């Protein structure tokens, strides 16, 4: 299973765009890249998933370069409610594990 | 509404007293799993199940049992709880790499 590396923490202000980059140098050909958000004492919540290039949904965008060794989660115009831990995972779609690392603690201030 | 329901949400018990944490999902997902979350250690997988009557150990299975007699339910059993099993527990069901987590069960073993 590919290991991921993300910054431990990031700070931002309301209204700004936040980009969290994840490194996954050993990603396998069939692995997908998935991001989750977790608020304190709640279970993680799926944000977005991608395989290559760019994926966008109503919450975020995911940018994946051609070599797939990294990915960037982009949160447009963050608000205080986006303060949470964000996890980057790589996994087979039908695989037996979703392995969560320590994630990135995003703190959004006024 | 698609959901994963865990019970109880909070539990304080004594060492050695058997307990069961229930988990139920209404999305007809084949894959279900249990995680525990501890400060500084992140989310660690305890057990997972790829389908009815198919279960397997995750990263930290010692001291836990599970069963999967029907698709919707995946209870976590602690036959003889110990204080080192004090933790926040999450059940999840999953399709591909999109996992749906329950609200969590905060267990304290004294």
């Amino acid at each position: 299973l590919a290991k991921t590396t993300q910054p431990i923490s990031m700070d931002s202000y309301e209204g700004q765009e936040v980009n969290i980059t994840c490194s996954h140098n050993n990603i396998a050909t069939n692995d997908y890249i998935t991001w989750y958000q977790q608020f304190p004492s709640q279970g993680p919540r799926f944000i977005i998933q991608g395989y290559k290039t760019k994926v966008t949904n109503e919450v975020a965008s995911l940018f994946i370069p051609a070599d797939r060794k990294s990915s960037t989660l982009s949160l447009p115009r963050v608000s205080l409610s986006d303060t949470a831990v964000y996890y980057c995972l790589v996994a087979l779609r039908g695989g037996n594990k979703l392995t969560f690392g320590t994630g990135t603690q995003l703190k959004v201030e006024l | 509404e698609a959901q994963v329901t865990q019970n109880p949400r909070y539990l304080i018990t004594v060492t050695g007293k058997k307990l069961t944490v229930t988990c139920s999902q209404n999305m007809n997902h084949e894959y279900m799993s249990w995680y525990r979350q501890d400060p500084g250690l992140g989310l660690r997988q305890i057990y997972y199940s790829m389908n009815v009557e198919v279960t397997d150990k995750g990263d930290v299975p010692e001291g836990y049992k599970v069963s999967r007699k029907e698709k919707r339910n995946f209870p976590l059993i602690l036959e003889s709880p110990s204080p080192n099993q004090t933790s926040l527990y999450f059940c999840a069901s999953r399709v591909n790499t999109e996992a749906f987590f329950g609200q969590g069960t905060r267990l304290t073993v004294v």
Side-chain angles (χ1 to χ4, degrees):
Chain A
L1 209 63
K3 182 178 177 180
T4 60
T5 303
Q6 342 173 196
I8 293 174
S9 64
M10 295 182 69
D11 295 327
S12 185
Y13 293 96
E14 275 203 319
Q16 297 207 326
E17 178 183 76
V18 170
N19 296 308
I20 307 174
T21 297
C22 177
S23 171
H24 28 80
N25 291 316
N26 297 320
I27 188 169
T29 302
N30 295 328
D31 283 339
Y32 279 71
I33 299 155
T34 312
W35 286 79
Y36 284 79
Q37 174 194 57
Q38 186 180 27
F39 299 112
S41 297
Q42 294 186 25
R45 183 178 72 102
F46 173 88
I47 301 174
I48 197 166
Q49 170 191 274
Y51 184 80
K52 61 180 178 180
T53 64
K54 177 184 174 182
V55 180
T56 297
N57 62 22
E58 65 277 5
V59 175
S61 294
L62 178 59
F63 298 92
I64 305 168
D67 67 4
R68 303 200 329 121
K69 292 183 184 299
S70 67
S71 59
T72 300
L73 175 73
S74 181
L75 304 171
R77 297 181 298 282
V78 295
S79 64
L80 293 175
S81 63
D82 292 315
T83 294
V85 177
Y86 292 82
Y87 297 96
C88 164
L89 289 76
V90 291
L92 286 170
R93 293 189 77 183
N96 60 7
K97 269 192 182 182
L98 284 182
T99 300
F100 288 78
T102 50
T104 298
Q105 172 67 63
L106 173 65
K107 182 178 179 182
V108 180
E109 300 174 293
L110 286 172
Chain B
E1 180 190 354
Q3 60 184 9
V4 177
T5 303
Q6 293 178 229
N7 280 297
R9 293 289 311 278
Y10 302 91
L11 179 60
I12 300 175
T13 190
V14 296
T15 298
K17 185 177 180 181
K18 181 180 178 179
L19 66 91
T20 299
V21 183
T22 63
C23 174
S24 180
Q25 52 101 358
N26 63 2
M27 295 165 280
N28 202 37
H29 290 162
E30 292 182 346
Y31 185 98
M32 297 185 74
S33 58
W34 276 100
Y35 291 83
R36 62 177 288 176
Q37 187 167 35
D38 303 288
L41 296 176
L43 280 152
R44 294 179 291 169
Q45 192 177 51
I46 303 170
Y47 267 94
Y48 64 93
S49 169
M50 301 286 278
N51 213 327
V52 175
E53 302 292 0
V54 180
T55 63
D56 209 344
K57 298 176 181 179
D59 298 316
V60 288
E62 295 76 21
Y64 305 95
K65 285 176 57 176
V66 292
S67 69
R68 187 90 182 274
K69 291 182 169 51
E70 48 193 339
K71 187 179 275 191
R72 65 181 290 122
N73 296 322
F74 191 45
L76 179 70
I77 303 155
L78 285 71
E79 295 267 0
S80 183
S82 63
N84 65 11
Q85 293 177 298
T86 291
S87 187
L88 179 59
Y89 291 86
F90 290 105
C91 177
S93 72
R94 187 183 129 196
V95 57
N96 295 322
T97 60
E98 183 173 355
F100 298 79
F101 284 80
Q103 322 94 300
T105 296
R106 190 168 292 280
L107 172 66
T108 302
V109 184
V110 299

